[in-house]
Amino acid sequence: MSDNRIVANNNSGQVVGGSNNQVSWTSGAAASADAVELQRRLDELQQLLARYAAALPDPGQLQDDTAELATQLRRDRPNRTVVSGLLTSLTAGATGVSAVAAAVQAVGRLVSRVLT
């Protein structure tokens, strides 16, 4: 009997030939529901920043901060100081546009849950 292994994209599996075989498959940890929701909220925030760019004091910086926040949160160990600073910057920059401010608050709540 031969042992055939398949490895692709951080996923690994084993295919066993012969009768009465068993197949096992393991993959990287599934994203938590909060992490999936957080990514959705970050995408929504980017859309709102584009939509309300004319009403924001520095929309380019806010978009950059949101992108950097997403990058930090994808890391295995996000830098909490950087994440906190980005959230502070986003909160300050979103003042005056209620839809953007609400989106930043929602992201902040989710970040707190994901990083605990």
Side-chain angles (χ1 to χ4, degrees), residues 55-66:
L56 294 164
D58 193 353
Q61 183 61 52
L62 294 173
Q63 289 173 333
D64 290 348
D65 288 351
T66 303

Side-chain angles (χ1 to χ4, degrees), residues 21-87:
N21 61 0
Q22 292 183 359
V23 176
S24 63
W25 189 265
T26 58
S27 66
S32 72
D34 283 343
V36 171
E37 177 67 9
L38 179 56
Q39 185 57 55
R40 188 185 72 74
R41 294 290 184 140
L42 286 167
D43 292 344
E44 177 185 353
L45 177 57
Q46 283 287 19
Q47 292 170 0
L48 289 169
L49 291 171
R51 182 180 307 149
Y52 293 104
L56 294 164
D58 193 353
Q61 183 61 52
L62 294 173
Q63 289 173 333
D64 290 348
D65 288 351
T66 303
E68 177 59 26
L69 180 60
T71 298
Q72 279 292 321
L73 295 171
R74 281 191 298 269
R75 295 175 65 186
D76 289 336
R77 294 184 333 168
N79 183 320
R80 291 174 184 264
T81 303
V82 172
V83 168
S84 178
L86 290 166
L87 286 170

